[in-house]
Amino acid sequence: MRCKTAGWDRESYDLCESFSSISYTRMSQFYHYRIVPGESLARLWMTGRVDRDNKLAALEGLRSDPDWHENMDVIWDCSRTTEVIILPEDLPPLLEAVLEDAGGMDVFYGERDNVFVIAKLFATLERRRGKDARVCTTMDEVLDVLGRIQLPPALRDPDDGDQQRCTTA
């Protein structure tokens, strides 16, 4: 498991490592991710204001990790994204970057309307180019589209609830 950050000082990195909820409010813009290579799954958290450069930096950071491989599914967790600034001219370079190694599924997760609309647009564009991409508003939906009962412990977030999909007998 790895936790990576962009432009952080040591204190912020320690907060990420301890996975304290304060790590999500310490800076207005950042990302971090965790990879579970044996599960072929990564979760990338984007917080605050997200624009083209933030998304490209997050994607570059994830792909440069030694545990990354092109067939990984990625949960793009935007549950703490407050603002999305993606202009029409930003879509082609973002789409090309995402499709560069289009093996795994992209699952966009967020509840805010502004995030949902942009995620839905982006997922539609990805699917039109042959990449499997979904948009979910609950962790139960994320688990369903990934075909999982629960997330691996390294990818869990305290705000996800009990991390396990409810099932009935």
Side-chain angles (χ1 to χ4, degrees):
M1 174 197 69
R2 296 185 184 275
C3 182
K4 299 288 181 165
T5 60
W8 282 24
D9 57 20
R10 183 68 208 168
E11 179 186 5
S12 296
Y13 186 82
D14 290 342
L15 288 171
C16 174
E17 281 296 299
S18 68
F19 219 61
S20 167
S21 61
I22 196 169
S23 67
Y24 297 111
T25 57
R26 295 279 304 161
M27 300 178 72
S28 61
Q29 298 178 35
F30 75 95
Y31 72 90
H32 71 270
Y33 66 87
R34 294 186 178 197
I35 292 176
V36 181
E39 299 273 344
S40 193
L41 185 63
R43 185 172 182 176
L44 189 144
W45 288 263
M46 299 197 76
T47 301
R49 181 180 183 269
V50 174
D51 60 20
R52 179 195 67 200
D53 294 338
N54 300 130
K55 187 165 169 106
L56 287 172
L59 188 59
E60 182 180 330
L62 184 66
R63 288 187 177 158
S64 66
D65 190 286
D67 289 332
W68 170 259
H69 64 80
E70 67 180 32
N71 292 320
M72 278 196 171
D73 294 332
V74 178
I75 301 169
W76 289 82
D77 189 332
C78 300
S79 61
R80 291 176 185 81
T81 300
T82 57
E83 184 178 15
V84 180
I85 308 296
I86 303 290
L87 303 173
E89 60 267 21
D90 295 336
L91 289 172
L94 283 171
L95 192 58
E96 290 306 314
V98 166
L99 295 172
E100 195 172 292
D101 58 0
M105 181 189 313
D106 281 344
V107 181
F108 297 93
Y109 168 56
E111 300 171 358
R112 292 183 173 88
D113 287 343
N114 60 340
V115 174
F116 183 79
V117 169
I118 296 294
K120 197 77 165 162
L121 171 65
F122 205 75
T124 300
L125 292 172
E126 283 188 32
R127 283 193 305 272
R128 285 184 180 170
R129 298 283 300 273
K131 181 165 177 67
D132 195 1
R134 313 288 176 88
V135 179
C136 302
T137 58
T138 67
M139 189 49 64
D140 279 350
E141 287 180 79
V142 171
L143 295 171
D144 283 342
V145 300
L146 291 172
R148 294 175 177 266
I149 299 294
Q150 63 185 10
L151 288 176
L155 300 186
R156 294 180 187 171
D157 185 319
D159 289 342
D160 288 341
D162 68 3
Q163 311 292 319
Q164 188 164 329
R165 187 173 8 158
C166 297
T167 57
T168 56

